[in-house]
Amino acid sequence: MKIFITNAFERAAKKLYRNQIAELEEAIEVIKTNPIIGEAKVGDLAGIRVYKFHISPQLILLAYLYNEENSKITLLSFGPHENFYEKLKRTVG
């Protein structure tokens, strides 16, 4: 399984503390072992899956694309729920 990271994802990850990065990496491993675990989106965000997990007490959403034919996962973005889908539409659309 190949994992690709977008620039937006990488920039956001650089702002995290070390313990938060460990929790993010755990979430990525969960997605890597079971790529269809995330909730599939419809409408403007069709094709994107969102996996929900916690960093400390806060709920974080991680958006990714899964290409089954190539066994490829592209990590698009992550962040708290507040305005997450609006920001995601701007970056993807």
Side-chain angles (χ1 to χ4, degrees), residues 4-21:
F4 295 93
I5 299 173
T6 61
N7 290 335
F9 188 93
E10 192 171 356
R11 279 193 302 271
K14 285 183 179 181
K15 297 177 184 177
L16 296 177
Y17 294 108
R18 191 171 290 167
N19 63 333
Q20 294 173 326
I21 290 173

PDB file of all heavy atoms in Angstrom, residues 4-21:
ATOM      1  N   PHE A   4       0.599   8.654  -0.129  1.00  0.00           N
ATOM      2  CA  PHE A   4       1.063   9.938  -0.633  1.00  0.00           C
ATOM      3  C   PHE A   4       0.500  11.035   0.253  1.00  0.00           C
ATOM      4  O   PHE A   4      -0.606  10.910   0.785  1.00  0.00           O
ATOM      5  CB  PHE A   4       0.610  10.149  -2.089  1.00  0.00           C
ATOM      6  CG  PHE A   4       1.233   9.167  -3.035  1.00  0.00           C
ATOM      7  CD1 PHE A   4       0.597   7.984  -3.356  1.00  0.00           C
ATOM      8  CD2 PHE A   4       2.473   9.426  -3.589  1.00  0.00           C
ATOM      9  CE1 PHE A   4       1.165   7.070  -4.219  1.00  0.00           C
ATOM     10  CE2 PHE A   4       3.058   8.524  -4.454  1.00  0.00           C
ATOM     11  CZ  PHE A   4       2.411   7.342  -4.777  1.00  0.00           C
ATOM     12  N   ILE A   5       1.255  12.109   0.397  1.00  0.00           N
ATOM     13  CA  ILE A   5       0.857  13.208   1.279  1.00  0.00           C
ATOM     14  C   ILE A   5       0.817  14.493   0.467  1.00  0.00           C
ATOM     15  O   ILE A   5       1.763  14.809  -0.259  1.00  0.00           O
ATOM     16  CB  ILE A   5       1.860  13.348   2.441  1.00  0.00           C
ATOM     17  CG1 ILE A   5       1.888  12.068   3.263  1.00  0.00           C
ATOM     18  CG2 ILE A   5       1.518  14.537   3.316  1.00  0.00           C
ATOM     19  CD1 ILE A   5       2.953  12.038   4.326  1.00  0.00           C
ATOM     20  N   THR A   6      -0.267  15.251   0.615  1.00  0.00           N
ATOM     21  CA  THR A   6      -0.358  16.546  -0.060  1.00  0.00           C
ATOM     22  C   THR A   6       0.430  17.587   0.728  1.00  0.00           C
ATOM     23  O   THR A   6       0.747  17.402   1.901  1.00  0.00           O
ATOM     24  CB  THR A   6      -1.826  17.006  -0.186  1.00  0.00           C
ATOM     25  OG1 THR A   6      -2.368  17.154   1.127  1.00  0.00           O
ATOM     26  CG2 THR A   6      -2.652  16.043  -1.002  1.00  0.00           C
ATOM     27  N   ASN A   7       0.730  18.696   0.084  1.00  0.00           N
ATOM     28  CA  ASN A   7       1.467  19.774   0.736  1.00  0.00           C
ATOM     29  C   ASN A   7       0.677  20.346   1.915  1.00  0.00           C
ATOM     30  O   ASN A   7       1.259  20.682   2.940  1.00  0.00           O
ATOM     31  CB  ASN A   7       1.795  20.889  -0.259  1.00  0.00           C
ATOM     32  CG  ASN A   7       2.834  20.457  -1.262  1.00  0.00           C
ATOM     33  OD1 ASN A   7       3.629  19.561  -0.998  1.00  0.00           O
ATOM     34  ND2 ASN A   7       2.834  21.085  -2.430  1.00  0.00           N
ATOM     35  N   ALA A   8      -0.631  20.475   1.757  1.00  0.00           N
ATOM     36  CA  ALA A   8      -1.461  21.009   2.838  1.00  0.00           C
ATOM     37  C   ALA A   8      -1.401  20.105   4.067  1.00  0.00           C
ATOM     38  O   ALA A   8      -1.314  20.581   5.206  1.00  0.00           O
ATOM     39  CB  ALA A   8      -2.906  21.156   2.367  1.00  0.00           C
ATOM     40  N   PHE A   9      -1.426  18.806   3.850  1.00  0.00           N
ATOM     41  CA  PHE A   9      -1.333  17.849   4.947  1.00  0.00           C
ATOM     42  C   PHE A   9       0.017  17.972   5.644  1.00  0.00           C
ATOM     43  O   PHE A   9       0.107  18.007   6.867  1.00  0.00           O
ATOM     44  CB  PHE A   9      -1.528  16.427   4.417  1.00  0.00           C
ATOM     45  CG  PHE A   9      -1.647  15.390   5.487  1.00  0.00           C
ATOM     46  CD1 PHE A   9      -2.882  15.012   5.951  1.00  0.00           C
ATOM     47  CD2 PHE A   9      -0.517  14.794   6.027  1.00  0.00           C
ATOM     48  CE1 PHE A   9      -3.005  14.052   6.943  1.00  0.00           C
ATOM     49  CE2 PHE A   9      -0.620  13.841   7.014  1.00  0.00           C
ATOM     50  CZ  PHE A   9      -1.873  13.468   7.474  1.00  0.00           C
ATOM     51  N   GLU A  10       1.068  18.070   4.865  1.00  0.00           N
ATOM     52  CA  GLU A  10       2.419  18.167   5.427  1.00  0.00           C
ATOM     53  C   GLU A  10       2.595  19.446   6.238  1.00  0.00           C
ATOM     54  O   GLU A  10       3.197  19.424   7.315  1.00  0.00           O
ATOM     55  CB  GLU A  10       3.436  18.102   4.294  1.00  0.00           C
ATOM     56  CG  GLU A  10       4.854  17.909   4.765  1.00  0.00           C
ATOM     57  CD  GLU A  10       5.808  17.643   3.629  1.00  0.00           C
ATOM     58  OE1 GLU A  10       5.379  17.527   2.476  1.00  0.00           O
ATOM     59  OE2 GLU A  10       7.008  17.569   3.917  1.00  0.00           O
ATOM     60  N   ARG A  11       2.075  20.556   5.738  1.00  0.00           N
ATOM     61  CA  ARG A  11       2.174  21.831   6.469  1.00  0.00           C
ATOM     62  C   ARG A  11       1.444  21.753   7.803  1.00  0.00           C
ATOM     63  O   ARG A  11       1.939  22.230   8.822  1.00  0.00           O
ATOM     64  CB  ARG A  11       1.604  22.972   5.636  1.00  0.00           C
ATOM     65  CG  ARG A  11       2.553  23.508   4.600  1.00  0.00           C
ATOM     66  CD  ARG A  11       2.057  24.820   4.023  1.00  0.00           C
ATOM     67  NE  ARG A  11       0.738  24.721   3.427  1.00  0.00           N
ATOM     68  CZ  ARG A  11       0.485  24.407   2.158  1.00  0.00           C
ATOM     69  NH1 ARG A  11       1.482  24.156   1.345  1.00  0.00           N
ATOM     70  NH2 ARG A  11      -0.740  24.347   1.710  1.00  0.00           N
ATOM     71  N   ALA A  12       0.267  21.154   7.800  1.00  0.00           N
ATOM     72  CA  ALA A  12      -0.514  21.031   9.035  1.00  0.00           C
ATOM     73  C   ALA A  12       0.178  20.099  10.028  1.00  0.00           C
ATOM     74  O   ALA A  12       0.169  20.353  11.242  1.00  0.00           O
ATOM     75  CB  ALA A  12      -1.914  20.521   8.722  1.00  0.00           C
ATOM     76  N   ALA A  13       0.802  19.046   9.534  1.00  0.00           N
ATOM     77  CA  ALA A  13       1.480  18.084  10.408  1.00  0.00           C
ATOM     78  C   ALA A  13       2.697  18.707  11.080  1.00  0.00           C
ATOM     79  O   ALA A  13       3.038  18.351  12.208  1.00  0.00           O
ATOM     80  CB  ALA A  13       1.877  16.848   9.622  1.00  0.00           C
ATOM     81  N   LYS A  14       3.361  19.637  10.427  1.00  0.00           N
ATOM     82  CA  LYS A  14       4.540  20.285  11.000  1.00  0.00           C
ATOM     83  C   LYS A  14       4.193  21.120  12.232  1.00  0.00           C
ATOM     84  O   LYS A  14       5.059  21.387  13.057  1.00  0.00           O
ATOM     85  CB  LYS A  14       5.220  21.174   9.956  1.00  0.00           C
ATOM     86  CG  LYS A  14       5.990  20.403   8.928  1.00  0.00           C
ATOM     87  CD  LYS A  14       6.695  21.329   7.972  1.00  0.00           C
ATOM     88  CE  LYS A  14       7.481  20.541   6.946  1.00  0.00           C
ATOM     89  NZ  LYS A  14       8.187  21.403   6.014  1.00  0.00           N
ATOM     90  N   LYS A  15       2.939  21.530  12.365  1.00  0.00           N
ATOM     91  CA  LYS A  15       2.516  22.367  13.487  1.00  0.00           C
ATOM     92  C   LYS A  15       2.183  21.564  14.740  1.00  0.00           C
ATOM     93  O   LYS A  15       1.935  22.142  15.787  1.00  0.00           O
ATOM     94  CB  LYS A  15       1.293  23.198  13.079  1.00  0.00           C
ATOM     95  CG  LYS A  15       1.585  24.164  11.956  1.00  0.00           C
ATOM     96  CD  LYS A  15       0.350  24.910  11.542  1.00  0.00           C
ATOM     97  CE  LYS A  15       0.644  25.805  10.353  1.00  0.00           C
ATOM     98  NZ  LYS A  15      -0.554  26.489   9.869  1.00  0.00           N
ATOM     99  N   LEU A  16       2.190  20.249  14.634  1.00  0.00           N
ATOM    100  CA  LEU A  16       1.815  19.404  15.766  1.00  0.00           C
ATOM    101  C   LEU A  16       2.987  19.172  16.720  1.00  0.00           C
ATOM    102  O   LEU A  16       4.151  19.225  16.324  1.00  0.00           O
ATOM    103  CB  LEU A  16       1.318  18.046  15.262  1.00  0.00           C
ATOM    104  CG  LEU A  16       0.052  18.040  14.429  1.00  0.00           C
ATOM    105  CD1 LEU A  16      -0.234  16.631  13.958  1.00  0.00           C
ATOM    106  CD2 LEU A  16      -1.117  18.586  15.215  1.00  0.00           C
ATOM    107  N   TYR A  17       2.640  18.880  17.977  1.00  0.00           N
ATOM    108  CA  TYR A  17       3.647  18.479  18.962  1.00  0.00           C
ATOM    109  C   TYR A  17       3.986  17.006  18.751  1.00  0.00           C
ATOM    110  O   TYR A  17       3.266  16.273  18.087  1.00  0.00           O
ATOM    111  CB  TYR A  17       3.110  18.690  20.378  1.00  0.00           C
ATOM    112  CG  TYR A  17       2.893  20.140  20.712  1.00  0.00           C
ATOM    113  CD1 TYR A  17       1.613  20.664  20.823  1.00  0.00           C
ATOM    114  CD2 TYR A  17       3.984  20.989  20.916  1.00  0.00           C
ATOM    115  CE1 TYR A  17       1.409  22.001  21.137  1.00  0.00           C
ATOM    116  CE2 TYR A  17       3.793  22.326  21.219  1.00  0.00           C
ATOM    117  CZ  TYR A  17       2.513  22.828  21.331  1.00  0.00           C
ATOM    118  OH  TYR A  17       2.314  24.143  21.628  1.00  0.00           O
ATOM    119  N   ARG A  18       5.062  16.573  19.373  1.00  0.00           N
ATOM    120  CA  ARG A  18       5.549  15.211  19.175  1.00  0.00           C
ATOM    121  C   ARG A  18       4.505  14.153  19.543  1.00  0.00           C
ATOM    122  O   ARG A  18       4.311  13.187  18.816  1.00  0.00           O
ATOM    123  CB  ARG A  18       6.826  15.003  19.985  1.00  0.00           C
ATOM    124  CG  ARG A  18       7.542  13.724  19.634  1.00  0.00           C
ATOM    125  CD  ARG A  18       8.893  13.657  20.276  1.00  0.00           C
ATOM    126  NE  ARG A  18       9.763  14.645  19.634  1.00  0.00           N
ATOM    127  CZ  ARG A  18      10.935  15.020  20.105  1.00  0.00           C
ATOM    128  NH1 ARG A  18      11.388  14.508  21.211  1.00  0.00           N
ATOM    129  NH2 ARG A  18      11.662  15.906  19.471  1.00  0.00           N
ATOM    130  N   ASN A  19       3.824  14.325  20.692  1.00  0.00           N
ATOM    131  CA  ASN A  19       2.812  13.330  21.088  1.00  0.00           C
ATOM    132  C   ASN A  19       1.611  13.346  20.147  1.00  0.00           C
ATOM    133  O   ASN A  19       0.990  12.315  19.907  1.00  0.00           O
ATOM    134  CB  ASN A  19       2.369  13.542  22.532  1.00  0.00           C
ATOM    135  CG  ASN A  19       1.690  14.882  22.746  1.00  0.00           C
ATOM    136  OD1 ASN A  19       1.940  15.845  22.027  1.00  0.00           O
ATOM    137  ND2 ASN A  19       0.851  14.960  23.752  1.00  0.00           N
ATOM    138  N   GLN A  20       1.282  14.499  19.592  1.00  0.00           N
ATOM    139  CA  GLN A  20       0.181  14.591  18.638  1.00  0.00           C
ATOM    140  C   GLN A  20       0.547  13.918  17.321  1.00  0.00           C
ATOM    141  O   GLN A  20      -0.295  13.288  16.681  1.00  0.00           O
ATOM    142  CB  GLN A  20      -0.185  16.057  18.393  1.00  0.00           C
ATOM    143  CG  GLN A  20      -0.763  16.739  19.612  1.00  0.00           C
ATOM    144  CD  GLN A  20      -0.952  18.227  19.396  1.00  0.00           C
ATOM    145  OE1 GLN A  20      -0.162  18.872  18.697  1.00  0.00           O
ATOM    146  NE2 GLN A  20      -1.995  18.777  19.997  1.00  0.00           N
ATOM    147  N   ILE A  21       1.799  14.024  16.931  1.00  0.00           N
ATOM    148  CA  ILE A  21       2.263  13.361  15.705  1.00  0.00           C
ATOM    149  C   ILE A  21       2.142  11.847  15.857  1.00  0.00           C
ATOM    150  O   ILE A  21       1.744  11.151  14.920  1.00  0.00           O
ATOM    151  CB  ILE A  21       3.710  13.780  15.367  1.00  0.00           C
ATOM    152  CG1 ILE A  21       3.723  15.241  14.922  1.00  0.00           C
ATOM    153  CG2 ILE A  21       4.308  12.888  14.291  1.00  0.00           C
ATOM    154  CD1 ILE A  21       5.101  15.823  14.713  1.00  0.00           C
TER     155      ILE A  21
END
